[in-house]
Amino acid sequence: MPKGMFVDTSICIGCKACQVACKEWNDLDGEPDDFAVQPDGRLKAINFTGNSYDNTGRLTATNWRHVRFIERGSSLEGNMAWYMMSDSCKHCTHAGCLDVCPTHALMRTDLGNVIVQQDVCNGCRMCISACPYGVISYNKSTGRVNKCTLCDDRIHNGLETACAKACPTDSIVFGDVDELRSQARQRVSTLRQLGYSKAQIYGDDDVLGGLNVFYLLLDDPEVYGQPANPQLPQRNLIPNSVWSVGSAILVGLAALVSFRTRLNRNEEVEA
Amino acid sequence: MPGELQIPQWEWWIVLYFFTGGIAAGAYLVASVIELVGEEADRPAARMGYYIAFAMLPIILIALILDLGQPLRFWHMILYRNTFLPWPVWDSPMSVGAYALLVFGLFSTLSFLDVLVETGRLKWSLPRLKYSSTPRLIYAMIGGLAAFFLASYTGVLLATTHLPVWADTPMLGALFLASGASTGVAAVILGLVATGKDLGTSIVKLKRLDIVALLLELVLLVAMLLWLGSSADILLTGISGILLIGGAVLIGLVIPLVLELFPGFQRFRGTTRMLVGSALLILLGGLILRTVVVLGGQGLL
Ligand code: SF4
Ligand code: SF4
């Protein structure tokens, strides 16, 4: 029975308790690029995004959770508002990262979560661009990659994830994926009745076989920086191989014609 | 990068590997074809192909190992760390490529040793006593197939991602194969000229093959850019654009082709200077092509 999380973005207040809890539990460092050391030795934050209240920006090797702030309206017109979305690894049922990892460092546990075995990963970075969500991040200081583990250690000891535990509005709920899905469907119909016509689930079975960490969004996925129709990286294997074989046949034939003894003898006579 | 994709940060070690891997594969291909269907007069060219393929192996190995975040764990590509058993991942070109490289390395080493015995440089009694040309035909067959794979899988590997330039066309593997062939043949020509061998008709055949490879490469490159449409912008603008058009296309493809095919250059053809010049341009073009695709494709240029 896969475990996962339902993230109801409609009740997220952007408090970032989940981000802090994640850093705490997983013992993750501060962002090296986000701080400068001042002469007195204290840290000064230097890396604000500058164009948004979203000052985390993106997922990194030490930010496994990212509360997105998506500005709506404008402060000049006095109708400024946000969509919030607490983003992380989706623990996809069809996980591109896992499919291309040559060392089997990426693996799925009995609870359905996808983890990076740190003692196996050799830092080849094949997985990074294979994830359609840009989740996996390279950690220069360890020479390996990192991402959310769905709190592998906690959930295998009967606890919920640290982020779900910390979320004050229960915007993040941990549990059995099946139960969470029916909970989400109810919530969508409630919201639709309330007039949120675009309320939708992102990550049902239509997306990569189902995302174990899935979302209720109030608008289209693109508005939240999520691809509407994510693909698996190996979709390109067959077409690319077919073209490669075609190219190989042409080169091979050219080589045969160039070097084949009998053919050349004929040509020499002609010349 | 579009959306929220992250880049693998593959940089110069990977460029170097793609370049030298292509040369090794191309050179071995020539050698194995001569081995299988060629005539005695072309054997020096075949031997040069084997030498070059073998000489690339240490560079390939070093580049691949040093690119890893954890270089000492390079063997995890072949043996699963927790069982010490081989465990290929069929959907992962990086995994299958690692095994193919192992096969290629093995057979190009065997071919190299065979050449040493053939030319009397290696005087081990056992291989000499039993020496025959049968094993080398087998090496050429298996090694030649591995070489085809080696030349193209690097392009397929890049395509097994979500980065637009790499993933939005089916032609990257085909393009790299053509480029591997053209640079491999150029390296063989260069090697033959450098060692002052009596070149005979081999050089004509090598050049003919190189022209086909260059034409194929040019066609594939143009087709790829057209196919990519607006995704190709990142390759066609800024430093990438200058390198791709000025370097890979003009220096690496168009000039060598014009020199070879344009009647005006007839009288220089076959001179040492022209042979060396063309080969160097082709090699430089191959290097630039890999640089633009690998680094430019990640927006790193
Ligand atoms: S979201 Fe990305 S990193 Fe997470 S399981 Fe899916 S493919 Fe892998
Ligand atoms: S970087 Fe690590 S986890 Fe990612 S594909 Fe390579 S070995 Fe697997």
Side-chain angles (χ1 to χ4, degrees):
Chain A
M1 174 62 68
K3 298 279 187 191
M5 295 192 283
F6 167 41
V7 182
D8 181 349
T9 68
S10 69
I11 51 173
C12 174
I13 54 171
C15 72
K16 299 199 190 182
C18 52
Q19 256 182 253
V20 175
C22 177
K23 286 238 181 207
E24 283 280 339
W25 179 261
N26 294 299
D27 205 9
L28 302 176
D29 286 338
E31 289 309 285
D33 297 343
D34 286 0
F35 299 95
V37 184
Q38 293 179 308
D40 60 5
R42 287 188 306 168
L43 292 177
K44 177 177 133 196
I46 52 168
N47 187 16
F48 289 108
T49 47
N51 57 2
S52 167
Y53 279 77
D54 184 337
N55 60 5
T56 305
R58 60 192 188 91
L59 294 170
T60 68
T62 46
N63 272 342
W64 296 354
R65 196 153 265 294
H66 165 207
V67 179
R68 291 167 184 268
F69 283 53
I70 298 129
E71 277 85 8
R72 314 289 295 166
S74 103
S75 53
L76 294 177
E77 291 164 20
N79 59 356
M80 179 83 174
W82 287 277
Y83 286 152
M84 314 280 187
M85 175 192 179
S86 182
D87 196 7
S88 72
C89 170
K90 280 87 176 166
H91 299 274
C92 319
T93 302
H94 300 309
C97 62
L98 189 141
D99 290 340
V100 300
C101 173
T103 67
H104 297 269
L106 275 156
M107 65 166 265
R108 191 183 298 282
T109 79
D110 54 333
L111 295 180
N113 54 322
V114 176
I115 61 169
V116 184
Q117 304 181 77
Q118 290 294 322
D119 55 344
V120 182
C121 172
N122 66 8
C124 73
R125 317 194 286 296
M126 186 71 215
C127 51
I128 291 178
S129 301
C131 167
Y133 299 105
V135 165
I136 300 200
S137 313
Y138 185 51
N139 188 335
K140 277 211 169 82
S141 61
T142 64
R144 283 165 272 177
V145 296
N146 293 108
K147 71 172 191 71
C148 156
T149 67
L150 201 70
C151 284
D152 192 51
D153 46 357
R154 292 176 63 98
I155 65 175
H156 278 93
N157 286 287
L159 297 171
E160 60 181 324
T161 53
C163 50
K165 176 89 184 164
C167 179
T169 66
D170 271 345
S171 167
I172 306 177
V173 197
F174 174 81
D176 288 334
V177 172
D178 288 347
E179 283 170 27
L180 294 175
R181 291 236 200 272
S182 56
Q183 191 179 326
R185 268 177 218 123
Q186 272 175 18
R187 177 74 183 148
V188 168
S189 61
T190 309
L191 282 168
R192 290 234 167 122
Q193 277 164 19
L194 289 172
Y196 294 92
S197 58
K198 282 193 159 179
Q200 55 189 282
I201 296 174
Y202 181 73
D204 224 331
D205 297 348
D206 54 332
V207 176
L208 298 172
L211 308 179
N212 287 351
V213 174
F214 64 101
Y215 303 81
L216 186 154
L217 306 177
L218 294 175
D219 207 328
D220 292 331
E222 289 93 341
V223 175
Y224 294 83
Q226 309 298 321
N229 184 23
Q231 302 285 314
L232 285 171
Q234 59 269 41
R235 74 198 179 288
N236 288 330
L237 279 179
I238 304 277
N240 249 280
S241 305
V242 170
W243 276 81
S244 299
V245 169
S247 180
I249 289 174
L250 283 179
V251 169
L253 277 179
L256 279 181
V257 171
S258 296
F259 287 100
R260 201 166 156 215
T261 317
R262 195 164 47 81
L263 286 177
N264 285 313
R265 214 166 276 144
N266 290 346
E267 267 184 35
E268 271 155 31
V269 174
E270 275 168 35
Chain B
M1 279 297 113
E4 313 282 330
L5 295 175
Q6 295 206 38
I7 57 168
Q9 305 175 40
W10 288 324
E11 297 182 10
W12 292 103
W13 289 123
I14 295 302
V15 173
L16 181 65
Y17 164 55
F18 282 15
F19 178 57
T20 50
I23 293 177
Y28 195 96
L29 275 180
V30 175
S32 59
V33 169
I34 295 176
E35 190 82 77
L36 295 172
V37 301
E39 59 184 319
E40 199 51 36
D42 292 328
R43 271 213 71 74
R47 284 198 290 267
M48 184 52 69
Y50 290 142
Y51 288 144
I52 288 172
F54 182 75
M56 293 299 139
L57 291 181
I59 307 179
I60 290 174
L61 214 61
I62 289 171
L64 280 181
I65 289 177
L66 289 185
D67 174 70
L68 295 175
Q70 291 276 340
L72 291 178
R73 296 184 178 179
F74 69 92
W75 57 274
H76 290 198
M77 292 286 182
I78 302 291
L79 304 176
Y80 180 45
R81 147 80 169 65
N82 293 339
T83 58
F84 301 102
L85 293 174
W87 191 4
V89 184
W90 299 110
D91 275 347
S92 172
M94 180 151 338
S95 171
V96 181
Y99 288 95
L101 198 55
L102 205 64
V103 173
F104 180 79
L106 179 69
F107 282 90
S108 54
T109 304
L110 286 173
S111 295
F112 173 72
L113 291 176
D114 181 82
V115 170
L116 291 188
V117 177
E118 178 196 354
T119 53
R121 293 203 181 95
L122 197 63
K123 295 196 169 27
W124 291 342
S125 55
L126 194 64
R128 266 194 94 70
L129 268 182
K130 294 210 181 271
Y131 189 73
S132 84
S133 60
T134 313
R136 62 157 106 117
L137 288 177
I138 297 169
Y139 306 159
M141 267 186 266
I142 303 175
L145 284 178
F148 271 123
F149 190 90
L150 180 64
S152 53
Y153 93 91
T154 47
V156 184
L157 182 151
L158 296 185
T160 316
T161 62
H162 295 291
L163 299 191
V165 172
W166 296 347
D168 289 358
T169 132
M171 292 167 218
L172 214 45
L175 176 68
F176 279 9
L177 191 139
S179 163
S182 70
T183 50
V185 175
V188 172
I189 292 177
L190 211 55
L192 286 174
V193 175
T195 48
K197 293 261 158 44
D198 175 20
L199 302 174
T201 55
S202 302
I203 216 79
V204 179
K205 300 174 191 170
L206 285 168
K207 282 203 310 186
R208 196 185 304 159
L209 175 56
D210 223 5
I211 290 171
V212 175
L214 289 171
L215 283 172
L216 180 64
E217 194 179 338
L218 188 59
V219 170
L220 283 169
L221 185 58
V222 172
M224 186 183 98
L225 292 173
L226 290 176
W227 187 297
L228 281 173
S230 61
S231 297
D233 286 355
I234 186 172
L235 293 187
L236 290 170
T237 50
I239 296 188
S240 284
I242 296 170
L243 284 175
L244 185 67
I245 302 302
V249 175
L250 211 62
I251 295 180
L253 295 170
V254 174
I255 295 181
L257 278 172
V258 167
L259 289 178
E260 240 5 278
L261 298 176
F262 207 62
F265 297 98
Q266 184 79 49
R267 60 204 162 93
F268 302 110
R269 231 159 268 164
T271 62
T272 309
R273 205 181 291 168
M274 172 106 157
L275 283 174
V276 172
S278 275
L280 286 176
L281 290 183
I282 293 170
L283 286 167
L284 185 63
L287 179 60
I288 295 175
L289 177 73
R290 309 308 166 102
T291 307
V292 172
V293 172
V294 173
L295 299 183
Q298 297 175 82
L300 292 176
L301 276 179

